[in-house]
Amino acid sequence: MSKNNTEDHDIRDNKMGVMPIKKLIVNMSVPMMISMLVQALYNIVDSVFVAQIGEDALTAVTLAFPMQNLIIAFGAGTGVGINALLSRALGAKEYSRSDKAANNGIFLAVITAIVFSILGHIITVPFIKSQTSSDTIVKYGSTYLGIVMTLSYGCLLQITFERLLQSTGRTMLSMISQLTGAIINIILDPIMIFGLLGCPRLGVAGAAYATVIGQSIASVLGLFMNLKLNKEIHFSIRSVLHPSGKIIGRIYFVGIPSILMMSIGSVMTYLMDLILISFSTTATAVFGVYFKLQSFFFMPVFGLNNGLIPVLAFNYGAEHKRRIKKALRFALLLAVCVMLCGTVTFELIPDKLLMLFNASPEMKRMGVVALRIIAIHFPIAAMGIVMGSIFQAFSKSFYSLFVSMGRQLVILIPVAWLLSKTGNVNNVWWCFLIAEFASFTLSLIFFKRVYGSEVAPMADDGVE
């Protein structure tokens, strides 16, 4: 795995420092928003097919999600560290450091995959059993989760290679990689779940195999595009096999808060599953359906956030004050518009959304109320996500960690537990709105502190 190391690094002004800011945000973010929209569509379609097996299968996949999300948290969180370090190094024209960030990132992805593969043989059954006593759900859940964990190499490498493309502004290539994985997944789902075109009927296991196959093919494509088309990064097998403790430390300085922040989401969903399953498995299935549906709006905003971070990091390194301010304002407007669409959709057609998942009358009755209550907080969440991008871009990810921990563990779960004591599951859903208001307030406080200390003192160089 190598590139011609005689290529001159100092060959261009990176577009993140010279392209008009609105055009740059669109150029950087829209491909990722589209790819993550397709990813969200895959998540929905995946659950739609699993729901055809039965509500127990849908519940099982919901119970497996916290651990599956943990894998993504490690990959994406480490990717944030790679992205911030690499983009900032490019902005400061420190090309040796950007190369080291890329090669050490690949090393970390492989090591993380090995750890999850080992855990996949050990903890899947105990993990599902800790949430339910249903033998059917345990069987479905442990089968699905075991495959996803032991074959997590594709997932983690796919995320890493996509982040390397994003870090150098090649978001279109990143989109192609992610779209490829998601589309393959969508195509394979019905074939492997229901045994079409000569494939054996694999049920829930088929959904898991479709997922890891799509991820693996996307990771190979991502590697190819980095080697052939990402001219600002030089790869070498020697650098991958001889990692730098100093570079890994810098990656994790930014990445660990992001890993913890996303891992908190896994803890939150696990605890919410425990609270809701005390009412019924249907309540847990409703929560799982909500999580799939909300991703259709949250994922594009996260794509916008992923496109915004390297823009902010680059212009922070280059000390372009006006570009940072314009990027934040424009991204905030886009994020709120996307999430308002989500709120309107959930309020107007929740019943039709639930019927996509073969909802029983009880699931439909419970789900309509849940979707309408939870969707109120979407625009507030959008503002918090955009404000959080500056924490990650400026290597202040611990602020994002504090906000996420406060929202999901300190407030959301205790409030959900207290509301569950009313004996009415419909009351539990209000915990999302209460937690979002609290986290927005905390985000605003931290944002003003970081902006005041890092951006405000910059000289106005007139660069726009």
Side-chain angles (χ1 to χ4, degrees):
M1 186 169 57
S2 63
K3 282 187 175 180
N4 185 356
N5 288 325
T6 62
E7 290 183 39
D8 182 6
H9 263 308
D10 197 7
I11 55 176
R12 66 189 67 80
D13 286 322
N14 192 287
K15 69 179 181 179
M16 288 185 281
V18 298
M19 184 180 288
I21 203 68
K22 290 184 179 180
K23 182 179 179 181
L24 176 62
I25 293 294
V26 171
N27 184 272
M28 289 289 292
S29 298
V30 168
M32 280 187 278
M33 292 173 73
I34 293 173
S35 64
M36 296 191 84
L37 191 64
V38 173
Q39 187 70 25
L41 179 62
Y42 142 68
N43 288 333
I44 293 171
V45 171
D46 194 49
S47 292
V48 166
F49 285 126
V50 169
Q52 306 310 308
I53 300 173
E55 191 173 296
D56 281 349
L58 181 60
T59 301
V61 172
T62 299
L63 297 183
F65 177 76
M67 189 60 66
Q68 186 179 10
N69 187 62
L70 190 63
I71 299 172
I72 297 171
F74 271 85
T78 304
V80 167
I82 298 167
N83 202 329
L85 180 61
L86 200 156
S87 296
R88 190 169 175 179
L90 288 174
K93 300 187 184 301
E94 297 176 356
Y95 301 114
S96 175
R97 189 153 62 98
S98 64
D99 287 347
K100 289 178 181 178
N103 287 287
N104 280 268
I106 296 171
F107 169 81
L108 291 176
V110 173
I111 294 300
T112 304
I114 291 172
V115 171
F116 275 109
S117 183
I118 293 170
L119 290 176
H121 292 285
I122 300 172
I123 67 171
T124 52
V125 173
F127 179 75
I128 301 298
K129 279 188 173 181
S130 71
Q131 301 174 79
T132 180
S133 59
S134 168
D135 291 339
T136 301
I137 294 175
V138 169
K139 179 182 177 182
Y140 283 148
S142 58
T143 297
Y144 180 89
L145 186 58
I147 294 168
V148 169
M149 290 187 69
T150 55
L151 300 176
S152 61
Y153 297 90
C155 174
L156 291 162
L157 287 170
Q158 176 190 357
I159 292 171
T160 300
F161 291 134
E162 287 174 359
R163 289 305 174 98
L164 294 179
L165 292 168
Q166 293 166 15
S167 296
T168 57
R170 291 170 172 81
T171 52
M172 185 62 69
L173 298 180
S174 174
M175 181 187 76
I176 292 171
S177 171
Q178 194 165 38
L179 284 175
T180 300
I183 291 171
I184 289 172
N185 204 331
I186 291 171
I187 294 172
L188 291 180
D189 260 334
I191 294 173
M192 303 190 79
I193 292 173
F194 305 117
L196 306 178
L197 303 178
C199 179
R201 184 184 179 95
L202 299 175
V204 171
Y209 281 122
T211 296
V212 298
I213 290 172
Q215 291 167 343
S216 298
I217 293 175
S219 70
V220 172
L221 179 60
L223 172 60
F224 174 81
M225 290 191 295
N226 271 289
L227 289 172
K228 297 297 182 181
L229 303 173
N230 201 351
K231 303 299 183 182
E232 288 177 306
I233 300 175
H234 291 155
F235 299 93
S236 75
I237 294 177
R238 180 175 181 179
S239 294
V240 173
L241 297 179
H242 295 84
S244 165
K246 185 176 181 179
I247 295 297
I248 289 174
R250 289 177 177 174
I251 290 172
Y252 277 141
F253 180 77
V254 177
I256 284 180
S258 297
I259 292 171
L260 293 175
M261 182 174 62
M262 286 179 268
S263 298
I264 287 168
S266 294
V267 177
M268 182 275 288
T269 52
Y270 176 79
L271 294 176
M272 279 296 292
D273 286 341
L274 293 180
I275 291 170
L276 292 170
I277 209 165
S278 66
F279 288 95
S280 66
T281 56
T282 299
T284 305
V286 166
F287 180 57
V289 167
Y290 156 71
F291 242 84
K292 301 295 183 179
L293 290 172
Q294 61 90 27
S295 69
F296 197 72
F297 300 98
F298 272 84
M299 292 290 272
V301 175
F302 288 134
L304 172 63
N305 185 58
N306 289 341
L308 179 61
I309 288 171
V311 173
L312 293 176
F314 184 97
N315 286 283
Y316 176 59
E319 297 190 359
H320 292 162
K321 182 177 182 177
R322 287 191 184 184
R323 292 178 65 79
I324 292 172
K325 292 168 67 175
K326 283 191 173 184
L328 286 168
R329 285 197 298 265
F330 187 59
L332 184 64
L333 176 63
L334 288 178
V336 171
C337 287
V338 171
M339 291 303 247
L340 280 173
C341 291
T343 298
V344 171
T345 302
F346 274 47
E347 297 297 334
L348 294 181
I349 56 169
D351 52 338
K352 293 180 176 59
L353 295 175
L354 288 161
M355 289 312 297
L356 293 173
F357 299 86
N358 198 30
S360 64
E362 173 62 15
M363 183 177 174
K364 185 177 178 181
R365 181 191 65 78
M366 188 184 299
V368 166
V369 176
L371 295 184
R372 283 179 170 158
I373 291 174
I374 298 173
I376 298 171
H377 86 274
F378 285 3
I380 306 168
M383 292 186 281
I385 292 169
V386 173
M387 285 192 293
S389 64
I390 202 170
F391 307 148
Q392 297 169 328
F394 294 1
S395 298
K396 307 287 185 182
S397 293
F398 52 89
Y399 284 132
S400 295
L401 174 60
F402 292 153
V403 171
S404 185
M405 184 176 296
R407 176 186 179 273
Q408 300 188 78
L409 296 184
V410 177
I411 298 175
L412 191 146
I413 291 300
V415 170
W417 179 78
L418 288 172
L419 292 174
S420 73
K421 296 305 176 182
T422 65
N424 185 349
V425 70
N426 291 334
N427 292 335
V428 175
W429 311 119
W430 288 103
C431 68
F432 289 93
L433 181 61
I434 294 169
E436 202 60 61
F437 267 113
S439 69
F440 173 78
T441 302
L442 193 58
S443 292
L444 187 59
I445 293 171
F446 290 151
F447 177 83
K448 287 182 175 180
R449 179 180 298 178
V450 173
Y451 190 88
S453 64
E454 302 293 336
V455 180
M458 289 182 184
D460 191 344
D461 57 6
V463 176
E464 297 187 7

